[in-house]
Amino acid sequence: MKTPAFLQIVHADPTALRGELIGGLCAETASIAPKYFYDALGARLFSAITELPEYYPMRTEAAIFARHGEAMAAAVGDMGGASTWVDLGAGNCEKAARMFDLFGVQRYVAVDISVDYLAHALEHLQRRHPTMDLLGIGMDFSRQIALPAECGDGPRLIFYPGSSIGNFDPAESLRFLLQAYQAAQGGALLIGVDLVKPVDVLEAAYDDPLGVTAAFNRNLLLHVNRLTGSDFRLAEWRHVAYYNGPSSRIEMHLEAVRQTTVRWPGGERRFETGTRIHTENSYKWRVADFARLLARAGFSGVRHWTDEREWFAVFLAGSG
Ligand code: AVJ
């Protein structure tokens, strides 16, 4: 049996991370970047979110792949095919693995910031697919998708499911798509995008009655305490999530329920009652606007598949 290969492209620099976090806390509008949600507990809480009846994106996307996967594979074939699948933010690799047979994937490159988790997932995957070429890459691709030569020089299928692109604002999304276009090397992009829909549906998905999303949001403070040595106390912060219509995005915040001072080695900040720390944006797109953005990034032959309610879309876009 083959063994999966690994490459560690960047080691997260703890001092730089700390500086970035403290900078966000001290800014006029305090913020913490959403990538910090995913410590070990945060990753499990997110997985619990995907089980909630109110959180429709994952199961809607899964249904689209199950129903239209064959058509997607045929469309990629019509575009000339892609020898390598590149999974951005692969996590447990399960979403991509479900498509291997349908797409006849021989070479799979899993990219994720958390390489330990990835190593484990790829070993498991290799046991189920003994002849496949598997490569794991520990890399933060949020600013730049700089894939190493080991990924091969043929056309690639860039796989970016789950509406992860929703964390980027429209300008950042365009930058990301331009990068994805280059990385595809004449292949294609397969990407999941959450769509605009009634506000009550959106808000329930990000403020569920069981409080799992609230726990996911508030757990961020425990992670920040560990990373920076700060002393956030959970009892003083509540989860706030609402749809910002003019910006087409869900916003998540943590709001101080009383006046509180947060201290860390070398600094502190006082938060008045009701002040907020912005923790996440999750943009919702209209099909026509996202198709236009793909075209602006250079993609052609854009197709999309959606569910009956048109709550979520999977786009396929060619870079050839
Ligand atoms: C992982 C960014 C797709 O925006 O729906 C879920 C994260 N935040 N509930 C999303 C999230 C709160 C999720 N993404």
Side-chain angles (χ1 to χ4, degrees):
M1 189 180 97
K2 297 189 184 192
T3 50
F6 291 96
L7 287 172
Q8 180 77 37
I9 302 294
V10 281
H11 296 270
D13 169 5
T15 324
L17 290 188
R18 200 174 167 276
E20 181 185 304
L21 278 164
I22 305 275
L25 291 178
C26 294
E28 179 148 297
T29 310
S31 66
I32 303 171
K35 64 181 173 194
Y36 297 107
F37 281 130
Y38 304 95
D39 66 346
L41 178 56
R44 285 181 172 81
L45 288 168
F46 177 66
S47 160
I49 286 174
T50 67
E51 306 277 329
L52 295 169
E54 295 82 11
Y55 191 76
Y56 60 84
M58 292 304 162
R59 78 175 62 84
T60 308
E61 183 186 54
I64 296 169
F65 279 130
R67 182 159 176 194
H68 302 290
E70 216 167 312
M72 292 175 194
V76 171
D78 291 343
M79 287 174 172
S83 51
T84 303
W85 262 52
V86 178
D87 190 352
L88 298 179
N92 64 13
C93 307
E94 277 307 317
K95 278 188 201 176
R98 267 181 248 139
M99 315 292 276
F100 285 170
D101 286 345
L102 217 48
F103 283 73
V105 184
Q106 237 327 286
R107 207 175 141 65
Y108 173 64
V109 179
V111 184
D112 208 290
I113 200 156
S114 146
V115 81
D116 296 338
Y117 195 68
L118 202 58
H120 191 78
L122 284 179
E123 272 154 35
H124 180 71
L125 206 58
Q126 188 83 82
R127 258 174 265 133
R128 281 157 53 204
H129 302 272
T131 62
M132 270 181 75
D133 282 323
L134 305 181
L135 171 62
I137 302 181
M139 185 176 103
D140 178 0
F141 55 84
S142 57
R143 268 176 211 151
Q144 217 195 342
I145 313 173
L147 296 174
E150 283 86 344
C151 296
D153 45 19
R156 300 162 177 159
L157 192 285
I158 308 291
F159 186 53
Y160 197 48
S163 73
S164 301
I165 195 164
N167 279 159
F168 296 140
D169 69 27
E172 291 165 341
S173 295
L174 177 59
R175 241 173 290 148
F176 175 86
L177 293 178
L178 286 161
Q179 296 265 331
Y181 181 89
Q182 290 301 326
Q185 297 186 153
L189 170 70
L190 189 60
I191 184 170
V193 180
D194 199 14
L195 303 178
V196 172
K197 62 183 61 63
V199 182
D200 55 325
V201 177
L202 284 168
E203 292 188 339
Y206 292 85
D207 193 6
D208 62 278
L210 194 54
V212 182
T213 308
F216 173 74
N217 196 11
R218 294 166 76 236
N219 174 62
L220 187 57
L221 298 178
L222 299 181
H223 191 201
V224 170
N225 281 350
R226 287 200 308 280
L227 292 171
T228 69
S230 56
D231 66 349
F232 279 103
R233 283 174 303 271
L234 286 189
E236 300 184 328
W237 298 91
R238 73 176 192 103
H239 168 66
V240 174
Y242 58 87
Y243 187 60
N244 176 337
S247 298
S248 280
R249 68 190 194 204
I250 284 282
E251 291 185 17
M252 298 214 311
H253 301 261
L254 289 161
E255 184 180 290
V257 299
R258 62 183 75 90
Q259 188 199 93
T260 179
T261 298
V262 179
R263 298 182 177 82
W264 55 84
E268 62 175 51
R269 176 165 185 175
R270 195 170 85 169
F271 292 92
E272 302 303 329
T273 307
T275 49
R276 290 173 179 176
I277 302 174
H278 190 178
T279 57
E280 186 169 45
N281 289 324
S282 186
Y283 281 83
K284 309 303 166 191
W285 288 88
R286 290 176 204 285
V287 163
D289 291 336
F290 198 77
R292 233 186 322 271
L293 197 70
L294 285 165
R296 277 179 68 194
F299 287 101
S300 58
V302 175
R303 296 191 53 179
H304 78 279
W305 292 267
T306 183
D307 54 293
E308 302 85 67
R309 295 183 291 198
E310 300 194 24
W311 279 6
F312 198 97
V314 176
F315 285 83
L316 175 69
S319 76

